[in-house]
Amino acid sequence: MGQNVKHVLKVSLDMTRYEYYTMGTYNKKKDKYFPDEGLVDGWAGLRLDYENFYASKTFFDPSTNRRILWGWANESDAVQQDTNKGWAGILLIPRKVWLDPSGKQLLQWPVVELEKLRGHNVQLSNQKLNQGDHVQVKGITVAQADVDVTFSFPSLDKAEPFDPKWAKLDALDVCAQKGSKAPGGLGPFRLLILASENLEEFTPIFFKVFKAADKHKVLLCSDARSLKQYLLLLCSHLLNYLNILLVIALSFQIDHSVVESFGAGGRIAISSRVYPTIAVSEKAHLYVFNNGNETIIVENLNAWSMNLLVMNVPIKDRVWENPRNYKEIIKKM
């Protein structure tokens, strides 16, 4: 509690399996929460993640003065497939959560400890992509990777007009309308992840830039329809399109059936489940692609193979299994 404290009320809805939140103030005496003025307290409001993210929990880490968020991703394939696997659902990577300087939303980014899992690194820099160009990123295990990429473009002149009607739509619908394959002005430029060698399968994460009345806006989408599997379209919300200059940065993590994307400095997070049948393990590839007639520059792309976690390490000394040995336990603490 305090004058400079901001509170967050979050809800996980079983009907949608999404999480919504508002910024506001909690009155301890009245035991009541008051959303900040202008924020939507409902299904059209802010979301922690714009797709497969549910039932999250947080804890405060006092050693680093940060709050850590853990989310859950449900399956997106058929129930029978889950039954055959013998399990369903998976924890996503932990994220640091902090307050945007505007005080109007939360920011989140993968915890820095994930960098300890980074293995072999490959890079691209100053790679120009004209319309129709695509470049493969080689040298990493794409099925389990960590990628940071920054795109730039020489001009915003070719950005297409922004239709004011889109502001009233769910961005899912706009992503579906525009798609990643249709040629455009400034975009779509995209990353093709978990892609097969001949591009029969791929998951595109793509950007498209529009010119509105007073500023430029960018739409960030991830579209898994190319995988021939059921998966909802994923994208950022339209209420607060990302404001841009001439640079767009994105970070994403790939873990076989999970793709987590982070953009706009942590303002947008999109987690998805994908189930490739061809682009599996060493047969998974990564490409950068431009479908717009404005030249795109991959300023920097850093990609790492991610090492396996060290889990379930055998315990040699199991003295604590016997309650009578509590004195020995205390000595070891």
Side-chain angles (χ1 to χ4, degrees), residues 210-277:
F210 300 93
K211 172 64 172 143
D214 56 342
K215 57 187 175 182
H216 287 82
K217 302 174 183 289
V218 60
L219 183 67
L220 165 61
C221 307
S222 176
D223 181 358
R225 290 174 297 178
S226 304
L227 284 175
K228 305 175 185 176
Q229 301 281 351
Y230 169 72
L231 185 67
L232 291 175
L233 293 177
L234 322 173
C235 56
S236 66
H237 61 306
L238 254 69
L239 294 177
N240 296 312
Y241 269 101
L242 315 181
N243 294 327
I244 61 167
L245 296 174
L246 295 173
V247 176
I248 294 177
L250 176 72
S251 175
F252 61 95
Q253 284 70 38
I254 309 167
D255 190 4
H256 297 279
S257 71
V258 181
V259 180
E260 299 183 58
S261 306
F262 301 85
R267 291 173 177 82
I268 298 294
I270 303 174
S271 301
S272 58
R273 301 298 305 275
V274 294
Y275 306 96
T277 57

Side-chain angles (χ1 to χ4, degrees), residues 133-290:
D133 287 349
H134 67 282
V135 174
Q136 183 177 358
V137 180
K138 299 180 179 181
I140 61 166
T141 54
V142 174
Q144 193 165 319
D146 184 1
V147 182
D148 291 334
V149 60
T150 301
F151 296 101
S152 66
F153 24 89
S155 171
L156 292 165
D157 294 343
K158 296 181 181 179
E160 299 170 39
F162 177 79
D163 189 339
K165 295 179 182 178
W166 294 343
K168 298 180 180 180
L169 295 177
D170 192 306
L172 298 172
D173 298 326
V174 181
C175 280
Q177 287 179 26
K178 307 310 292 184
S180 68
K181 295 182 178 180
L186 187 42
F189 51 96
R190 54 186 180 159
L191 295 129
L192 304 182
I193 60 176
L194 296 177
S196 58
E197 185 176 7
N198 297 318
L199 298 183
E200 303 99 328
E201 288 185 338
F202 57 84
T203 298
I205 299 174
F206 65 96
F207 296 92
K208 191 152 188 176
V209 181
F210 300 93
K211 172 64 172 143
D214 56 342
K215 57 187 175 182
H216 287 82
K217 302 174 183 289
V218 60
L219 183 67
L220 165 61
C221 307
S222 176
D223 181 358
R225 290 174 297 178
S226 304
L227 284 175
K228 305 175 185 176
Q229 301 281 351
Y230 169 72
L231 185 67
L232 291 175
L233 293 177
L234 322 173
C235 56
S236 66
H237 61 306
L238 254 69
L239 294 177
N240 296 312
Y241 269 101
L242 315 181
N243 294 327
I244 61 167
L245 296 174
L246 295 173
V247 176
I248 294 177
L250 176 72
S251 175
F252 61 95
Q253 284 70 38
I254 309 167
D255 190 4
H256 297 279
S257 71
V258 181
V259 180
E260 299 183 58
S261 306
F262 301 85
R267 291 173 177 82
I268 298 294
I270 303 174
S271 301
S272 58
R273 301 298 305 275
V274 294
Y275 306 96
T277 57
I278 302 174
V280 178
S281 298
E282 70 277 0
K283 295 181 180 180
H285 303 279
L286 171 66
Y287 297 87
V288 287
F289 204 107
N290 180 24

